[in-house]
């Protein structure tokens, strides 16, 4: 206990030092509607400060970020700071009905939090309905003043936000799908920094361009801000060196293709050393499921123009097949953390909580007097360990934890599924004895500072696909990942306990599994969910309730006075 108190005291001293030495970075976000022209039509979208994508935020490790959000849109809103630890500031995390009630139209809320022990590329986005499609922007964290990157300083840093565009109001598209009990419409285009590129109709003049100087090295900060699609990204005739993922440094990895799922970020160094000319950067879908699941099979592209280049047709990269899972798996499993680099955290070796969690798509019985168009005239659903998560509607879970309010959630999320079976056998895809999941609001309660190991196992219900799972409030080590059923005897022998990749969002392989490990060192309620927005309202999520620590400084603070009310 004395050693724990000493460690906490040191951590808090570092936190205090960080706060004292950091700057105050302050922004105002006005959320409103904006009419833009895309794909031959005018479309009203919800944006921040009149721009799509929204404004980029730049800060340093140790800074305090204050963002005043005024909601002038017709929709409820909240903002999530994707990948920020929110150490002792869970009220600023943003997921609606988890850590706050929504900011109603005409209302405001100020997010305030310290950036502690983080640097790299993160992002912010709406965390309610499908508004994330257009309400998002980059969040770039530089090292503290006087410190440098663990690689040569690039000539320029460029955020590249990859998104999805919908011809229609995204809130209406989501609600229509939910009302019918089916998957909503797929996107109509992909975008690079808000522009679809010249392969789409009426988009010749809506192609992102980046001017570069031959011989210089640039840092491209790739952010997958799409709702539902994993993407392949390439640059014609250029290799990329991956140096960070999810704001954690990696062992430099040279590749000609990057695979990124919704919510994930990838930093790549690109040396522009080819003959002076123009080259396309392009993104196309990685559709891990079979052709039975519809997806937007199109390509967005931008143009990289070398300075002094004559006008000429840009060179186009050869793009992967959308179903090239071996290529995607090769990229995603070859990444390792930069051991002993800046902000590196070694793998905790003592595990306190072991969890085996199945994830997948399910069915929900159609309510009486309703018409459902899902399989067997039911609604589409989703679950973790056969529990289909339902958000509360009258208060946030964090407020319920702080005020000890009962009947908002229960503390009995299971450590393993209720039934054991061959999880990846496609013959169970339509097994009616298995594919229905009860609705619930269950959390897993964790002791402060306990270490959790989770096996995330994909199951073959209805749709077998890669699921990008995001954990709020923490990074985690990815110890191993593979295909088929997880083998508790042999697969632990494959664990990387030396320099595994560190992420906040992991794509659990299609028809496979991933093992993650994290330390619950932050009291509060922390959401874990699939970052495919088509699956989120269906219930593919759960939450961790982390108890208070042994000192006042490791105790959940009270809510801000301006916290939105339900």
């Amino acid at each position: 206990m004395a050693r724990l108190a000493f460690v906490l005291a040191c951590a808090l001293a570092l936190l205090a030092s960080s706060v004292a030495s950091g700057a105050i970075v302050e922004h105002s976000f006005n959320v409103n509607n904006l009419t833009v022209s895309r794909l031959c039509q005018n479309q009203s979208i919800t944006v921040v400060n009149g721009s799509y994508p929204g404004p980029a935020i730049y800060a340093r490790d140790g800074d305090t970020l204050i963002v005043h959000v005024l909601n002038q849109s017709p929709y409820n809103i909240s903002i999530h700071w994707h990948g920020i630890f929110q150490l002792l500031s869970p009220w600023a995390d943003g997921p609606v009905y988890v850590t706050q009630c929504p900011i109603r139209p005409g209302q405001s809320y100020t997010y305030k939090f310290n950036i502690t022990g983080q640097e790299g590329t993160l992002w912010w986005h709406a965390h309610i309905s499908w508004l994330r499609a257009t309400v998002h922007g980059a969040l770039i964290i530089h090292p503290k003043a006087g410190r440098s990157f663990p690689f040569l300083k690039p000539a320029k840093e460029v955020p590249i936000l990859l998104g999805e565009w919908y011809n229609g109001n995204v809130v209406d598209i989501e609600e229509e799908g939910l009302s019918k009990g089916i998957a909503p419409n797929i996107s109509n285009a992909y975008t690079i920094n808000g522009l679809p590129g010249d392969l789409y109709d009426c988009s010749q003049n809506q192609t992102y361009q980046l001017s570069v100087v031959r011989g210089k090295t640039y840092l491209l900060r790739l952010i997958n801000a799409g709702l539902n699609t994993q993407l392949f990204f390439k640059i014609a005739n250029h290799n990329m060196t991956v140096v960070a993922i999810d704001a954690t440094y990696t062992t430099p990895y040279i590749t000609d293709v990057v695979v990124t799922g919704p919510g994930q970020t990838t930093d790549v160094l690109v040396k522009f050393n080819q003959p002076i000319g123009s080259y396309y950067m392009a993104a196309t879908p990685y559709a891990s499921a079979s052709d039975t699941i519809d997806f937007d099979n199109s390509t967005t592209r931008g143009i990289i123009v070398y300075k002094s280049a004559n006008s000429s047709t840009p060179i186009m990269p050869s793009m992967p097949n959308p179903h090239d899972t071996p290529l995607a798996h090769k990229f995603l499993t070859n990444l390792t953390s930069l051991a002993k680099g800046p902000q590196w955290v070694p793998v905790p070796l003592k595990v306190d909580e072991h969890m085996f969690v199945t994830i997948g798509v399910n069915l929900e019985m159609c309510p009486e007097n309703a018409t459902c168009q899902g399989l067997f005239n039911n609604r589409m659903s989703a679950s973790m360990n056969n529990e289909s998560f339902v958000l509360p509607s009258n208060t946030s879970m964090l407020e319920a934890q702080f005020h000890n309010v009962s009947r908002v959630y229960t503390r009995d999320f299971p450590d393993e599924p209720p039934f054991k079976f061959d999880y990846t056998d496609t013959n169970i895809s339509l097994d009616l004895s298995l594919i229905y999941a009860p609705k619930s609001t269950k959390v897993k309660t964790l002791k402060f500072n306990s270490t959790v190991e989770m096996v995330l196992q994909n199951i073959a219900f209805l749709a077998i696909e890669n699921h990008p799972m995001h954990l709020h409030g923490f990074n985690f080590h990815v110890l191993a990942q593979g295909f088929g059923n997880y083998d508790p005897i042999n697969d632990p022998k494959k664990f990387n306990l030396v320099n595994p990749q560190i992420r906040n969002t992991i794509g659990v392989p299609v028809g496979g599994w991933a093992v993650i490990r994290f330390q619950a060192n932050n009291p509060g309620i922390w959401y874990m969910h699939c970052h495919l927005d088509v699956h989120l309202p269906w219930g593919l999520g759960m939450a961790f309730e982390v108890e208070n620590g042994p000192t006042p400084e490791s105790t959940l603070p009270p809510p801000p006075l301006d916290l939105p009310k339900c």
Side-chain angles (χ1 to χ4, degrees), residues 1-14:
M1 181 62 72
R3 184 178 182 276
L4 176 60
F6 174 76
V7 170
L8 287 172
C10 290
L12 291 167
L14 288 172

Side-chain angles (χ1 to χ4, degrees), residues 232-234 257 284-285 297 317-324 327:
F232 291 111
F233 177 86
K234 296 187 74 173
V257 62
T284 196
N297 190 10
S318 175
M319 301 306 290
N321 183 298
H323 300 302
D324 196 341
L327 177 63

